[in-house]
Amino acid sequence: MSSNLGWFDRLVRLLLALAAFAAAAVLLEQPFAKVIAFVAGVFCLYEAIFATCGAMAVIGKTSVRKPLSAESLYLLTLHGVQAVLAYVWLTAGIEKVVSSAFVDGMSKTLSVFASQNPYPWYQKFLLGPVMDKAAIFGYAVQWAEVGVAVIMVGAIVVSFCGASSRLLAYTRGLVILALLVGMVMNAGFFLAAGWLSPSTHAVNLIMFWIQGVLLYTHSAILIDRIKT
């Protein structure tokens, strides 16, 4: 493949590689997250050194002198934001799956969430239907987080592999479903634990609305494709 990355793109990839290696070495504690960060760092370093990016070529940047179109830049931004969300969901889900502590402690966690919850109706919901099926609820949450992440990442891979329009449409439909599930989980986490700390409050709100924007975008694209 001929070079298709200019100095700015190569610099960005070099900085991303350094950040990924630093995260794998000193910032991240979970082994799975360390592996992801290290692999991402190697990938970014490769592209920075050899000035080639297959994904950029797929969306139109086949040479250094050929700029990306506005539509391609929009697509790149969309996938970038989606990848960040997928990483958050995947690390959160894997951490719960590899340890039984999350499911085993679900009843205690629900009691804490309900203790001073500012929403009486949600407090009753936590102590009633959810508490009665605490273990099932715990399993559902952890696998839903992993599932949402896998669908988001899979959709990005499919879009950069020259898939057919029909496969892209099906994949986009799955992403829409994953975004809906993610929004429901963030809303649930916000109502259950948002009152415990400003960070929990803010993170769930931010993720909820970012997924809402992506949901609108993917839905609009899918509807337009169906019309045509």
Side-chain angles (χ1 to χ4, degrees):
M1 181 187 297
S2 60
S3 299
N4 62 346
L5 298 180
W7 69 268
F8 178 72
D9 286 321
R10 296 177 71 182
L11 176 61
V12 169
R13 280 157 176 76
L14 178 60
L15 293 175
L16 287 174
L18 293 176
F21 289 142
V26 298
L27 296 179
L28 300 174
E29 297 181 359
Q30 188 185 78
F32 184 78
K34 285 179 176 288
V35 171
I36 292 178
F38 180 77
V39 172
V42 172
F43 189 75
C44 290
L45 185 60
Y46 172 86
E47 292 190 344
I49 293 173
F50 294 98
T52 60
C53 177
M56 296 284 274
V58 170
I59 60 176
K61 191 171 179 59
T62 54
S63 68
V64 175
R65 295 185 177 182
K66 185 176 181 180
L68 284 174
S69 64
E71 183 178 354
S72 295
L73 283 171
Y74 148 77
L75 181 65
L76 196 62
T77 302
L78 178 70
H79 287 327
V81 173
Q82 192 167 302
V84 172
L85 286 171
Y87 172 79
V88 174
W89 283 124
L90 186 62
T91 53
I94 291 295
E95 185 176 356
K96 295 177 177 68
V97 169
V98 298
S99 173
S100 61
F102 177 73
V103 175
D104 293 343
M106 181 53 61
S107 295
K108 183 178 180 180
T109 301
L110 291 173
S111 297
V112 173
F113 288 166
S115 60
Q116 300 181 47
N117 195 287
Y119 309 104
W121 63 273
Y122 202 75
Q123 184 181 50
K124 293 179 180 178
F125 173 69
L126 292 175
L127 296 176
V130 179
M131 183 68 78
D132 292 340
K133 306 291 183 182
I136 296 176
F137 179 78
Y139 284 119
V141 168
Q142 65 184 25
W143 286 111
E145 291 180 342
V146 173
V148 166
V150 170
I151 290 174
M152 287 184 177
V153 172
I156 295 173
V157 173
V158 169
S159 67
F160 284 117
C161 289
S164 65
S165 58
R166 177 172 294 185
L167 179 57
L168 287 173
Y170 287 142
T171 304
R172 200 175 298 280
L174 286 175
V175 173
I176 290 171
L177 177 61
L179 289 168
L180 283 171
V181 173
M183 292 177 72
V184 169
M185 287 194 292
N186 282 128
F189 298 156
F190 172 82
L191 293 171
W195 61 275
L196 288 171
S197 70
S199 59
T200 303
H201 179 102
V203 166
N204 283 291
L205 276 182
I206 291 170
M207 290 183 67
F208 178 89
W209 287 114
I210 289 177
Q211 288 171 121
V213 172
L214 291 177
L215 176 64
Y216 171 80
T217 303
H218 280 292
S219 299
I221 294 174
L222 183 60
I223 291 172
D224 287 340
R225 294 293 185 270
I226 292 174
K227 287 180 178 180
T228 56

